[in-house]
């Protein structure tokens, strides 16, 4: 059997992944730096109350718009949606920069800022659907989630720090201009990947549904999915804390510690530094079960940090708490996102993540508005206590169903993404595709190993997840196949012996599908059956197996 490289190393060797992650890294800079700049701008207009109100006002429309990312991703495909989102985000962020630089009325600036935030949220749900298509194994999917969050966490750290440096010599408008430049880079990086993940196969009824009908259907299905719902509740609660941190960082830095506007950016950057550390630590989750327990532990870690800062409100403690809460945030996001991908049907994946973003943005908005309200009624210490104690209280209320999430049926997200990329399965409806994936199994082959031999009975179809194989007929090399290709359909359809030999050119990972589930899928769905026969006819006699 071939020795599997570590998931992270395997991902690092992928040129597609490097391009995608680089684009996401630039996106992270554009997402977090300008957000800090907008809060600083709001504070200059009206103090802590304005900061909370503006944050709330920008996040509410974002929460309302976020669910539309699901139908967009399903309709156009995750990779095309990602490219379109980056392009639109760059345009609107540039407009916001112009508004700030040329002194437009605050209402215009806030409106453009809200439009920017609304478009930014589309990236998260689209990327969540792209991820299984990039991974080769379930373990790599966890590793990819961890690496993705690590990249975004670097943005949480670097972007506010860079914003602080820009604010030392410039203005919030300059921060937005830099963000627009980053997003242009993101769009250029993913432009060649537009066809990476195809749209879901759509039947006639789905094609005639409007976006609002699809959203309503997705909301009902999410409400009935106990496992997905519980994870979304916890993730939403964590974003309530993120919203509180945004405002607390500004108030603590400017009012309590008198560190100035750049101090708020640096305090937020410390939170980002913790998120980077947490993302690195989350690599330990690769291959682990019981992720719900990690979510509970991360929640308690953040709660203890906020309570400590409430008792000891000092500059050094504030920076330490920012780091600790960043670690907690990363652990929550990696474990939560991975759980969602494990327990959510492929048909619902884009919409569940879009709804998760909507609920998260709403919770973020509530966290932002909560801080100035508590400060007005009591003081900053009370705001710290409320922020710290709310999340563990909700976790305790939902503890039993949350711990039961890991026992929910696992959705083979990586296999489904691979099969969707194959031409013969692209038209197959999602429920049938999931059925095929659940009945499949992984096969490893070392370089030089014969996978199938000419003349032997054929009872299995193979899809190539990683590596390369060579097709040989009568001792003559006929073709080379790689990820996204498959072989073995002719022997199954026509019930004949293998008509060619397939040899692994490199260490390879294959997904094997037995005769019965393969034929049920092919014969039970006419378009798929037609596609299989067209593919077989095109390859015969050059490459029949």
């Amino acid at each position: 059997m071939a020795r599997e490289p570590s998931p992270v190393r395997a991902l690092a060797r992928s040129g597609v992944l490097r391009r995608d992650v680089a684009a996401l890294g630039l996106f992270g800079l554009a997402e977090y730096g300008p957000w800090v700049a907008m809060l600083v701008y709001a504070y200059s207009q009206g103090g802590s109350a304005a900061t909370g109100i503006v944050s709330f006002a920008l996040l509410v429309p974002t929460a309302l718009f976020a669910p539309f990312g699901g139908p967009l991703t399903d309709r156009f495909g995750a990779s095309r949606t990602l490219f379109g989102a980056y392009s639109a985000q760059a345009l609107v962020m540039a407009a916001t920069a112009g508004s700030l630089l040329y002194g437009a009325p605050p209402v215009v600036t806030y409106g453009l800022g809200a439009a920017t935030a609304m478009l930014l949220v589309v990236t998260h749900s689209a990327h969540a659907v792209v991820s299984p298509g990039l991974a080769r194994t379930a373990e790599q999917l966890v590793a990819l989630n961890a690496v993705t969050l690590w990249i975004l966490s670097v943005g949480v750290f670097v972007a506010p720090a860079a914003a602080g440096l820009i604010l030392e010599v410039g203005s919030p408008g300059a921060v937005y201009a830099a963000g627009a430049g980053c997003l242009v880079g993101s769009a250029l990086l993913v432009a060649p990947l537009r066809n990476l993940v195809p749209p879901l196969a759509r039947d006639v009824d789905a094609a005639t549904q409007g976006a609002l009908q699809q959203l309503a259907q997705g909301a009902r299905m999410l409400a009935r999915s106990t496992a997905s719902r519980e994870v979304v509740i916890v993730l939403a609660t964590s974003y309530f804390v993120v919203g509180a941190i945004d405002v607390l960082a500004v108030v603590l830095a400017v009012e309590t510690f008198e560190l100035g506007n750049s101090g708020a950016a640096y305090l937020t950057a410390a939170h980002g530094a913790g998120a980077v550390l947490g993302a690195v630590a989350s690599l330990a989750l690769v291959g682990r079960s019981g992720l719900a327990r990690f979510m509970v532990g991360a929640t308690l870690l953040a709660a203890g940090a906020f309570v400590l800062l409430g008792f000891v409100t000092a500059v050094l403690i504030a920076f330490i708490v920012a780091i600790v809460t960043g670690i907690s945030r990363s652990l929550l996001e990696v474990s939560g996102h991975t759980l969602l991908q494990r327990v959510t049907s492929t048909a619902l994946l884009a919409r569940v993540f879009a709804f998760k973003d909507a609920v998260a943005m709403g919770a973020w908005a509530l966290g932002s508005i909560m801080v100035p309200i508590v400060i007005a009624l009591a003081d900053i210490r009370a705001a710290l206590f409320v922020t710290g104690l709310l999340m563990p209280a909700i976790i305790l209320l939902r503890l039993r169903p949350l711990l039961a999430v890991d026992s929910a049926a696992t959705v083979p997200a990586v296999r489904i993404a691979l099969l969707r990329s194959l031409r013969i399965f692209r038209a197959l409806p999602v429920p049938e595709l999931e059925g095929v994936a659940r009945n499949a199994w992984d096969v490893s082959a070392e370089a030089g190993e014969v996978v199938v031999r000419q003349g032997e009975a054929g009872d299995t179809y193979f899809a190539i997840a990683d590596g390369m194989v060579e097709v040989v007929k009568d001792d003559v090399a006929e073709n080379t196949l790689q990820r996204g290709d498959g072989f073995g359909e002719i022997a199954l359809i026509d019930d004949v012996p293998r008509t060619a030999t397939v040899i692994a050119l490199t260490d390879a990972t294959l997904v094997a599908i037995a005769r019965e589930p393969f034929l049920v899928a092919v014969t039970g769905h006419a378009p798929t059956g037609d596609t299989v026969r067209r593919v077989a006819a095109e390859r015969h006699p050059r490459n029949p197996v």
Side-chain angles (χ1 to χ4, degrees):
M1 300 294 285
R3 182 183 178 185
E4 291 289 337
S6 73
V8 176
R9 288 183 180 179
L11 294 176
R13 291 204 298 260
S14 168
V16 168
L17 175 69
R18 290 196 299 271
R19 183 177 285 272
D20 177 75
V21 165
L24 194 67
L26 291 174
F27 166 81
L29 296 177
E31 183 177 31
Y32 296 112
W35 180 256
V36 173
M38 182 60 73
L39 296 182
V40 168
Y41 172 78
Y43 187 87
S44 69
Q45 298 293 312
S48 61
T51 303
I53 292 170
V54 167
S55 179
F56 181 84
L58 266 59
L59 289 169
V60 167
T62 302
L64 296 175
F65 178 75
F68 288 91
L72 283 173
T73 300
D74 288 344
R75 174 65 179 85
F76 297 104
S79 45
R80 287 191 177 186
T81 302
L82 204 58
F83 169 71
Y86 286 147
S87 302
Q89 291 158 13
L91 290 174
V92 179
M93 189 165 284
T96 310
S99 174
L100 287 163
L101 290 171
Y102 292 101
V107 65
V108 174
T109 298
Y110 294 146
L112 289 171
T116 300
M118 290 165 64
L119 289 172
L120 288 172
V121 78
V122 175
T123 296
H124 295 287
S125 57
H127 195 271
V129 178
V130 165
S131 295
L134 295 178
R136 279 14 182 191
T137 65
E139 288 74 18
Q140 285 186 16
L141 178 58
V142 182
L144 178 56
N145 286 338
V147 169
T148 294
L149 186 59
W150 183 81
I151 293 295
L152 289 176
S153 299
V154 169
V156 177
F157 167 54
V158 174
L165 292 174
I166 294 174
L167 291 171
E168 292 276 8
V169 297
S171 66
V175 178
Y176 265 84
C182 289
L183 289 169
V184 170
S186 295
L188 292 175
L189 281 167
V190 301
L193 313 180
R194 292 191 300 273
N195 298 318
L196 182 66
V197 178
L200 289 177
R202 306 170 74 215
D203 56 30
V204 175
D205 292 337
T208 58
Q209 281 185 334
L212 290 177
Q213 288 177 295
Q214 294 181 44
L215 290 174
Q217 182 187 45
R220 288 193 297 269
M221 297 176 76
L222 175 59
R224 292 196 296 266
S225 176
T226 303
S228 299
R229 185 181 66 242
E230 293 302 324
V231 179
V232 168
I233 289 173
V234 175
L235 287 174
T237 306
S238 72
Y239 274 89
F240 178 93
V241 175
V242 170
I245 289 173
D246 283 343
V247 180
L248 286 170
V250 175
V251 176
L252 285 169
V254 178
E255 289 187 6
T256 306
F257 303 137
E258 298 181 350
L259 299 177
N261 291 342
S262 59
Y266 297 143
L267 193 58
T268 304
H271 178 75
V276 173
L277 294 175
V280 172
S282 68
L283 292 174
L285 301 180
V286 174
R288 289 181 178 268
S289 58
L291 293 183
R293 294 193 294 272
F294 286 95
M295 297 180 73
V296 174
T299 298
L300 297 177
L301 179 66
F306 278 114
V307 171
L308 173 63
L309 185 58
F311 282 115
V312 187
T313 310
V315 174
L316 178 60
I317 299 299
F319 275 91
I320 293 174
V321 168
I323 293 172
V324 171
T325 55
I327 294 172
S328 169
R329 176 179 178 177
S330 285
L331 292 174
L332 274 169
E333 289 195 19
V334 169
S335 55
H337 285 191
T338 301
L339 275 177
L340 274 183
Q341 288 166 330
R342 286 182 179 177
V343 302
T344 304
S345 164
T346 300
L348 290 177
L349 190 59
R351 296 179 199 180
V352 164
F353 269 91
F355 273 101
K356 185 273 297 180
D357 284 338
V359 175
M361 293 302 102
W364 194 335
L366 291 175
S368 299
I369 201 68
M370 178 275 296
V371 171
I373 291 174
V374 175
I375 291 176
L377 295 175
D379 56 17
I380 186 69
R381 293 176 184 269
L384 291 167
F385 287 133
V386 171
T387 301
L389 296 176
L390 179 68
M391 194 156 65
I394 292 177
I395 285 284
L396 290 175
L397 289 173
R398 311 302 307 171
L399 186 60
R400 181 175 294 180
L402 179 63
L403 292 177
V405 165
D406 282 337
S407 63
T410 299
V411 174
V414 175
R415 287 181 192 160
I416 293 170
L418 171 65
L419 296 181
R420 280 181 59 204
S421 70
L422 269 64
R423 178 182 169 191
I424 66 173
F425 289 118
R426 193 162 297 174
L428 194 64
V430 169
E432 287 79 2
L433 187 63
E434 289 192 7
V436 173
R438 288 182 190 278
N439 286 288
W441 66 96
D442 295 333
V443 175
S444 296
E446 294 182 346
E449 182 178 341
V450 175
V451 181
V452 301
R453 193 178 300 276
Q454 185 174 352
E456 68 182 8
D459 59 0
T460 307
Y461 174 82
F462 294 94
I464 303 173
D466 200 13
M468 297 178 65
V469 302
E470 183 177 53
V471 179
V472 179
K473 182 180 180 182
D474 298 329
D475 297 324
V476 177
E478 294 280 344
N479 200 5
T480 299
L481 306 177
Q482 57 188 342
R483 178 176 170 84
D485 293 322
F487 57 91
E489 70 279 355
I490 294 176
L492 302 186
I493 294 172
D494 296 333
D495 194 20
V496 297
R498 300 289 190 191
T499 53
T501 297
V502 177
I503 304 170
L505 289 176
T506 65
D507 289 350
T509 301
L510 311 171
V511 172
I513 304 169
R515 175 191 297 273
E516 184 175 352
F518 180 86
L519 292 179
V520 167
V522 169
T523 59
H525 186 248
T528 299
D530 292 342
T531 302
V532 171
R533 293 193 175 278
R534 281 198 301 271
V535 170
E538 290 169 5
R539 298 204 302 190
H540 183 79
R542 180 173 58 88
N543 180 27
V545 291

